[in-house]
Amino acid sequence: MDKEVIIDRVAEILKETPASMQIVKKGGDRDARFKYLARHMVEKAIAKDALILSSNEMGIAIVLRNSSSKTGFFKETIENIKLVLNVTGFKNVSTILKNQKYIKNQRPANEDYLYCWFWGISKDARGADTQVGKEMKDEFLRRAHLYNLPLYAETQTRRNTIVYQKFGFDLFHTWEREDGKTMYFMKYDPTKHEDKYTK
């Protein structure tokens, strides 16, 4: 794996992702802000063994495992300050924090679970004939069954919700945000699909 290539691919995918487009400050060198955010995400994923790549490395995901082991408060605070300085700017910090709190509150507070923080496919590898999406999906669900943990995800794109549901996810909450955006919250429960991904 070439980390810098992966970071570049994540940055390009983030530029098309509604959630990241809303938090990355506009104006100036916006490409650099997306690159900073991508680097933060990829390095965090590597540190937590949460980075998933397709066999051709064009499909990239970050699936975090929530547990009682938490990041140190000061380290997390410093990371957040750096993100404000280099990605979001100060103007929308309160709105971003409010939205992130709401999103996090849709997941269990004191239980182990898997969380799909990021999932994307580079433009050149999209389409049903590439099978990258299926390969990634199979790995997500394999991990859910391996650890016997529910897998959570959210999306602002309705068509993605339909795809998730085809994979076996349940839509358990819909949030109509103050900015007019709609967010869909999904959950995959491996105990409902015990006949799959058990190898």
Side-chain angles (χ1 to χ4, degrees):
M1 179 191 72
D2 186 327
K3 187 174 79 170
E4 294 303 317
V5 170
I6 299 302
I7 289 170
D8 285 340
R9 288 175 181 164
V10 170
E12 289 305 310
I13 295 168
L14 286 173
K15 292 175 187 177
E16 304 175 309
T17 306
S20 57
M21 290 168 65
Q22 290 159 17
I23 68 169
V24 174
K25 182 181 175 182
K26 295 178 175 62
D29 192 352
R30 204 169 186 218
D31 285 348
R33 296 191 187 104
F34 278 108
K35 181 77 173 281
Y36 188 97
L37 178 59
R39 182 176 299 281
H40 166 77
M41 294 172 70
V42 170
E43 290 183 346
K44 182 172 182 177
I46 291 171
K48 293 183 174 292
D49 193 26
L51 185 66
I52 298 175
L53 302 175
S54 63
S55 54
N56 64 3
E57 298 188 355
M58 301 296 274
I60 305 165
I62 300 172
V63 176
L64 298 166
R65 180 172 179 172
N66 181 71
S67 69
S68 56
S69 176
K70 303 292 184 183
T71 303
F73 173 79
F74 290 109
K75 181 180 179 183
E76 193 171 89
T77 301
I78 290 170
E79 287 177 355
N80 289 338
I81 291 171
K82 287 181 178 178
L83 286 173
V84 169
L85 293 173
N86 293 286
V87 178
T88 67
F90 288 94
K91 184 178 179 181
N92 298 318
V93 169
S94 61
T95 300
I96 292 168
L97 290 176
K98 181 180 176 182
N99 288 345
Q100 290 302 314
K101 182 178 179 180
Y102 185 97
I103 291 168
K104 187 174 182 180
N105 285 344
Q106 304 314 306
R107 305 192 297 271
N110 299 304
E111 297 176 20
D112 283 9
Y113 60 83
L114 299 175
Y115 173 56
C116 188
W117 187 29
F118 173 83
W119 178 19
I121 301 173
S122 295
K123 289 180 181 179
D124 295 340
R126 293 173 189 167
D129 57 325
T130 68
Q131 295 296 302
V132 173
K134 181 182 183 303
E135 182 185 343
M136 300 294 287
K137 177 264 296 184
D138 286 347
E139 178 58 22
F140 301 158
L141 303 191
R142 186 192 71 80
R143 291 189 180 204
H145 284 274
L146 175 66
Y147 301 118
N148 194 32
L149 293 175
L151 172 60
Y152 289 84
E154 68 268 346
T155 180
Q156 291 185 41
T157 308
R158 179 61 185 168
R159 68 174 181 274
N160 288 349
T161 305
I162 296 169
V163 172
Y164 276 115
Q165 289 175 311
K166 286 181 179 178
F167 293 168
F169 282 76
D170 295 315
L171 174 63
F172 70 90
H173 182 61
T174 301
W175 178 28
E176 303 294 341
R177 297 184 354 176
E178 292 178 3
D179 59 6
K181 308 290 183 183
T182 302
M183 184 165 279
Y184 306 94
F185 293 82
M186 314 295 295
K187 176 184 176 182
Y188 179 87
D189 183 350
T191 64
K192 292 184 178 180
H193 307 273
E194 292 178 347
D195 57 327
K196 296 181 180 181
Y197 308 101
T198 55
K199 295 182 180 181

PDB file of all heavy atoms in Angstrom, residues 57-79:
ATOM      1  N   GLU A  57      -7.105  -1.527  -4.725  1.00  0.00           N
ATOM      2  CA  GLU A  57      -6.884  -0.326  -3.907  1.00  0.00           C
ATOM      3  C   GLU A  57      -7.640   0.900  -4.417  1.00  0.00           C
ATOM      4  O   GLU A  57      -7.313   2.031  -4.073  1.00  0.00           O
ATOM      5  CB  GLU A  57      -5.383  -0.018  -3.766  1.00  0.00           C
ATOM      6  CG  GLU A  57      -4.619  -1.130  -3.064  1.00  0.00           C
ATOM      7  CD  GLU A  57      -3.182  -0.772  -2.730  1.00  0.00           C
ATOM      8  OE1 GLU A  57      -2.723   0.317  -3.132  1.00  0.00           O
ATOM      9  OE2 GLU A  57      -2.516  -1.585  -2.050  1.00  0.00           O
ATOM     10  N   MET A  58      -8.671   0.684  -5.216  1.00  0.00           N
ATOM     11  CA  MET A  58      -9.510   1.781  -5.705  1.00  0.00           C
ATOM     12  C   MET A  58     -10.761   1.949  -4.841  1.00  0.00           C
ATOM     13  O   MET A  58     -11.395   2.992  -4.861  1.00  0.00           O
ATOM     14  CB  MET A  58      -9.908   1.536  -7.166  1.00  0.00           C
ATOM     15  CG  MET A  58      -8.729   1.417  -8.118  1.00  0.00           C
ATOM     16  SD  MET A  58      -7.756   2.940  -8.235  1.00  0.00           S
ATOM     17  CE  MET A  58      -8.693   3.811  -9.502  1.00  0.00           C
ATOM     18  N   GLY A  59     -11.109   0.916  -4.116  1.00  0.00           N
ATOM     19  CA  GLY A  59     -12.176   0.993  -3.136  1.00  0.00           C
ATOM     20  C   GLY A  59     -11.549   1.172  -1.766  1.00  0.00           C
ATOM     21  O   GLY A  59     -10.631   0.434  -1.397  1.00  0.00           O
ATOM     22  N   ILE A  60     -12.000   2.178  -1.027  1.00  0.00           N
ATOM     23  CA  ILE A  60     -11.377   2.520   0.257  1.00  0.00           C
ATOM     24  C   ILE A  60     -12.474   2.736   1.291  1.00  0.00           C
ATOM     25  O   ILE A  60     -13.460   3.429   1.035  1.00  0.00           O
ATOM     26  CB  ILE A  60     -10.531   3.803   0.139  1.00  0.00           C
ATOM     27  CG1 ILE A  60      -9.496   3.671  -0.991  1.00  0.00           C
ATOM     28  CG2 ILE A  60      -9.849   4.129   1.465  1.00  0.00           C
ATOM     29  CD1 ILE A  60      -8.874   4.983  -1.406  1.00  0.00           C
ATOM     30  N   ALA A  61     -12.287   2.138   2.448  1.00  0.00           N
ATOM     31  CA  ALA A  61     -13.250   2.329   3.530  1.00  0.00           C
ATOM     32  C   ALA A  61     -12.532   2.399   4.858  1.00  0.00           C
ATOM     33  O   ALA A  61     -11.397   1.918   5.004  1.00  0.00           O
ATOM     34  CB  ALA A  61     -14.269   1.191   3.545  1.00  0.00           C
ATOM     35  N   ILE A  62     -13.199   3.004   5.821  1.00  0.00           N
ATOM     36  CA  ILE A  62     -12.713   3.051   7.191  1.00  0.00           C
ATOM     37  C   ILE A  62     -13.840   2.536   8.073  1.00  0.00           C
ATOM     38  O   ILE A  62     -14.899   3.167   8.173  1.00  0.00           O
ATOM     39  CB  ILE A  62     -12.307   4.474   7.614  1.00  0.00           C
ATOM     40  CG1 ILE A  62     -11.191   5.001   6.690  1.00  0.00           C
ATOM     41  CG2 ILE A  62     -11.852   4.499   9.069  1.00  0.00           C
ATOM     42  CD1 ILE A  62     -10.851   6.468   6.907  1.00  0.00           C
ATOM     43  N   VAL A  63     -13.622   1.374   8.673  1.00  0.00           N
ATOM     44  CA  VAL A  63     -14.626   0.773   9.552  1.00  0.00           C
ATOM     45  C   VAL A  63     -14.019   0.677  10.949  1.00  0.00           C
ATOM     46  O   VAL A  63     -13.149  -0.154  11.212  1.00  0.00           O
ATOM     47  CB  VAL A  63     -15.070  -0.612   9.043  1.00  0.00           C
ATOM     48  CG1 VAL A  63     -16.041  -1.260  10.034  1.00  0.00           C
ATOM     49  CG2 VAL A  63     -15.724  -0.490   7.668  1.00  0.00           C
ATOM     50  N   LEU A  64     -14.464   1.560  11.821  1.00  0.00           N
ATOM     51  CA  LEU A  64     -13.934   1.658  13.181  1.00  0.00           C
ATOM     52  C   LEU A  64     -14.684   0.725  14.118  1.00  0.00           C
ATOM     53  O   LEU A  64     -15.887   0.504  13.965  1.00  0.00           O
ATOM     54  CB  LEU A  64     -14.063   3.091  13.688  1.00  0.00           C
ATOM     55  CG  LEU A  64     -13.295   4.164  12.907  1.00  0.00           C
ATOM     56  CD1 LEU A  64     -13.789   5.542  13.296  1.00  0.00           C
ATOM     57  CD2 LEU A  64     -11.802   4.045  13.161  1.00  0.00           C
ATOM     58  N   ARG A  65     -13.960   0.199  15.086  1.00  0.00           N
ATOM     59  CA  ARG A  65     -14.598  -0.611  16.119  1.00  0.00           C
ATOM     60  C   ARG A  65     -14.686   0.203  17.398  1.00  0.00           C
ATOM     61  O   ARG A  65     -13.667   0.620  17.949  1.00  0.00           O
ATOM     62  CB  ARG A  65     -13.813  -1.900  16.369  1.00  0.00           C
ATOM     63  CG  ARG A  65     -14.448  -2.775  17.441  1.00  0.00           C
ATOM     64  CD  ARG A  65     -13.791  -4.131  17.542  1.00  0.00           C
ATOM     65  NE  ARG A  65     -14.418  -4.935  18.597  1.00  0.00           N
ATOM     66  CZ  ARG A  65     -14.159  -6.231  18.817  1.00  0.00           C
ATOM     67  NH1 ARG A  65     -13.287  -6.860  18.044  1.00  0.00           N
ATOM     68  NH2 ARG A  65     -14.765  -6.878  19.789  1.00  0.00           N
ATOM     69  N   ASN A  66     -15.898   0.449  17.856  1.00  0.00           N
ATOM     70  CA  ASN A  66     -16.088   1.159  19.114  1.00  0.00           C
ATOM     71  C   ASN A  66     -15.916   0.187  20.273  1.00  0.00           C
ATOM     72  O   ASN A  66     -16.440  -0.916  20.266  1.00  0.00           O
ATOM     73  CB  ASN A  66     -17.493   1.759  19.191  1.00  0.00           C
ATOM     74  CG  ASN A  66     -17.709   2.521  20.482  1.00  0.00           C
ATOM     75  OD1 ASN A  66     -17.153   3.587  20.675  1.00  0.00           O
ATOM     76  ND2 ASN A  66     -18.511   1.970  21.374  1.00  0.00           N
ATOM     77  N   SER A  67     -15.162   0.613  21.256  1.00  0.00           N
ATOM     78  CA  SER A  67     -14.981  -0.220  22.450  1.00  0.00           C
ATOM     79  C   SER A  67     -14.714   0.684  23.632  1.00  0.00           C
ATOM     80  O   SER A  67     -14.693   1.913  23.513  1.00  0.00           O
ATOM     81  CB  SER A  67     -13.821  -1.199  22.261  1.00  0.00           C
ATOM     82  OG  SER A  67     -12.598  -0.492  22.232  1.00  0.00           O
ATOM     83  N   SER A  68     -14.463   0.090  24.782  1.00  0.00           N
ATOM     84  CA  SER A  68     -14.196   0.865  25.992  1.00  0.00           C
ATOM     85  C   SER A  68     -12.849   1.570  25.934  1.00  0.00           C
ATOM     86  O   SER A  68     -12.560   2.443  26.734  1.00  0.00           O
ATOM     87  CB  SER A  68     -14.251  -0.041  27.225  1.00  0.00           C
ATOM     88  OG  SER A  68     -13.338  -1.114  27.065  1.00  0.00           O
ATOM     89  N   SER A  69     -12.009   1.183  24.966  1.00  0.00           N
ATOM     90  CA  SER A  69     -10.701   1.821  24.806  1.00  0.00           C
ATOM     91  C   SER A  69     -10.877   3.129  24.049  1.00  0.00           C
ATOM     92  O   SER A  69     -11.232   3.129  22.875  1.00  0.00           O
ATOM     93  CB  SER A  69      -9.758   0.894  24.045  1.00  0.00           C
ATOM     94  OG  SER A  69      -8.535   1.535  23.797  1.00  0.00           O
ATOM     95  N   LYS A  70     -10.660   4.247  24.705  1.00  0.00           N
ATOM     96  CA  LYS A  70     -10.888   5.558  24.115  1.00  0.00           C
ATOM     97  C   LYS A  70      -9.568   6.280  23.849  1.00  0.00           C
ATOM     98  O   LYS A  70      -8.568   6.067  24.524  1.00  0.00           O
ATOM     99  CB  LYS A  70     -11.741   6.429  25.052  1.00  0.00           C
ATOM    100  CG  LYS A  70     -13.085   5.806  25.421  1.00  0.00           C
ATOM    101  CD  LYS A  70     -14.015   5.718  24.234  1.00  0.00           C
ATOM    102  CE  LYS A  70     -15.385   5.184  24.658  1.00  0.00           C
ATOM    103  NZ  LYS A  70     -16.299   5.012  23.525  1.00  0.00           N
ATOM    104  N   THR A  71      -9.606   7.154  22.839  1.00  0.00           N
ATOM    105  CA  THR A  71      -8.451   8.009  22.576  1.00  0.00           C
ATOM    106  C   THR A  71      -8.262   8.969  23.739  1.00  0.00           C
ATOM    107  O   THR A  71      -9.241   9.453  24.312  1.00  0.00           O
ATOM    108  CB  THR A  71      -8.690   8.821  21.286  1.00  0.00           C
ATOM    109  OG1 THR A  71      -8.941   7.920  20.218  1.00  0.00           O
ATOM    110  CG2 THR A  71      -7.480   9.677  20.947  1.00  0.00           C
ATOM    111  N   GLY A  72      -7.026   9.254  24.110  1.00  0.00           N
ATOM    112  CA  GLY A  72      -6.755  10.191  25.193  1.00  0.00           C
ATOM    113  C   GLY A  72      -7.394  11.540  24.934  1.00  0.00           C
ATOM    114  O   GLY A  72      -7.392  12.030  23.808  1.00  0.00           O
ATOM    115  N   PHE A  73      -7.923  12.152  25.973  1.00  0.00           N
ATOM    116  CA  PHE A  73      -8.655  13.410  25.831  1.00  0.00           C
ATOM    117  C   PHE A  73      -7.806  14.495  25.178  1.00  0.00           C
ATOM    118  O   PHE A  73      -8.237  15.168  24.256  1.00  0.00           O
ATOM    119  CB  PHE A  73      -9.145  13.873  27.206  1.00  0.00           C
ATOM    120  CG  PHE A  73      -9.766  15.240  27.192  1.00  0.00           C
ATOM    121  CD1 PHE A  73     -11.058  15.433  26.747  1.00  0.00           C
ATOM    122  CD2 PHE A  73      -9.034  16.354  27.614  1.00  0.00           C
ATOM    123  CE1 PHE A  73     -11.625  16.704  26.726  1.00  0.00           C
ATOM    124  CE2 PHE A  73      -9.590  17.622  27.597  1.00  0.00           C
ATOM    125  CZ  PHE A  73     -10.895  17.795  27.154  1.00  0.00           C
ATOM    126  N   PHE A  74      -6.570  14.669  25.652  1.00  0.00           N
ATOM    127  CA  PHE A  74      -5.735  15.755  25.140  1.00  0.00           C
ATOM    128  C   PHE A  74      -5.332  15.522  23.683  1.00  0.00           C
ATOM    129  O   PHE A  74      -5.319  16.450  22.879  1.00  0.00           O
ATOM    130  CB  PHE A  74      -4.502  15.937  26.029  1.00  0.00           C
ATOM    131  CG  PHE A  74      -4.828  16.497  27.375  1.00  0.00           C
ATOM    132  CD1 PHE A  74      -4.739  15.714  28.520  1.00  0.00           C
ATOM    133  CD2 PHE A  74      -5.256  17.810  27.518  1.00  0.00           C
ATOM    134  CE1 PHE A  74      -5.062  16.226  29.764  1.00  0.00           C
ATOM    135  CE2 PHE A  74      -5.573  18.335  28.763  1.00  0.00           C
ATOM    136  CZ  PHE A  74      -5.481  17.537  29.888  1.00  0.00           C
ATOM    137  N   LYS A  75      -5.047  14.266  23.344  1.00  0.00           N
ATOM    138  CA  LYS A  75      -4.699  13.960  21.960  1.00  0.00           C
ATOM    139  C   LYS A  75      -5.872  14.267  21.040  1.00  0.00           C
ATOM    140  O   LYS A  75      -5.710  14.859  19.975  1.00  0.00           O
ATOM    141  CB  LYS A  75      -4.301  12.486  21.825  1.00  0.00           C
ATOM    142  CG  LYS A  75      -3.906  12.094  20.409  1.00  0.00           C
ATOM    143  CD  LYS A  75      -3.512  10.624  20.322  1.00  0.00           C
ATOM    144  CE  LYS A  75      -3.142  10.270  18.874  1.00  0.00           C
ATOM    145  NZ  LYS A  75      -2.820   8.827  18.731  1.00  0.00           N
ATOM    146  N   GLU A  76      -7.076  13.871  21.453  1.00  0.00           N
ATOM    147  CA  GLU A  76      -8.269  14.105  20.642  1.00  0.00           C
ATOM    148  C   GLU A  76      -8.549  15.594  20.513  1.00  0.00           C
ATOM    149  O   GLU A  76      -8.918  16.083  19.443  1.00  0.00           O
ATOM    150  CB  GLU A  76      -9.460  13.394  21.286  1.00  0.00           C
ATOM    151  CG  GLU A  76     -10.675  13.308  20.387  1.00  0.00           C
ATOM    152  CD  GLU A  76     -11.741  12.413  20.989  1.00  0.00           C
ATOM    153  OE1 GLU A  76     -12.577  12.943  21.752  1.00  0.00           O
ATOM    154  OE2 GLU A  76     -11.745  11.202  20.717  1.00  0.00           O
ATOM    155  N   THR A  77      -8.354  16.338  21.599  1.00  0.00           N
ATOM    156  CA  THR A  77      -8.580  17.782  21.578  1.00  0.00           C
ATOM    157  C   THR A  77      -7.621  18.476  20.618  1.00  0.00           C
ATOM    158  O   THR A  77      -8.020  19.341  19.831  1.00  0.00           O
ATOM    159  CB  THR A  77      -8.422  18.380  22.994  1.00  0.00           C
ATOM    160  OG1 THR A  77      -9.375  17.750  23.856  1.00  0.00           O
ATOM    161  CG2 THR A  77      -8.653  19.877  22.984  1.00  0.00           C
ATOM    162  N   ILE A  78      -6.366  18.095  20.667  1.00  0.00           N
ATOM    163  CA  ILE A  78      -5.361  18.679  19.766  1.00  0.00           C
ATOM    164  C   ILE A  78      -5.707  18.373  18.306  1.00  0.00           C
ATOM    165  O   ILE A  78      -5.622  19.253  17.439  1.00  0.00           O
ATOM    166  CB  ILE A  78      -3.952  18.158  20.120  1.00  0.00           C
ATOM    167  CG1 ILE A  78      -3.502  18.739  21.466  1.00  0.00           C
ATOM    168  CG2 ILE A  78      -2.950  18.518  19.032  1.00  0.00           C
ATOM    169  CD1 ILE A  78      -2.247  18.110  22.034  1.00  0.00           C
ATOM    170  N   GLU A  79      -6.124  17.138  18.031  1.00  0.00           N
ATOM    171  CA  GLU A  79      -6.513  16.765  16.667  1.00  0.00           C
ATOM    172  C   GLU A  79      -7.683  17.622  16.193  1.00  0.00           C
ATOM    173  O   GLU A  79      -7.704  18.097  15.054  1.00  0.00           O
ATOM    174  CB  GLU A  79      -6.898  15.285  16.614  1.00  0.00           C
ATOM    175  CG  GLU A  79      -5.712  14.337  16.713  1.00  0.00           C
ATOM    176  CD  GLU A  79      -6.138  12.874  16.719  1.00  0.00           C
ATOM    177  OE1 GLU A  79      -7.365  12.609  16.743  1.00  0.00           O
ATOM    178  OE2 GLU A  79      -5.262  12.009  16.695  1.00  0.00           O
TER     179      GLU A  79
END
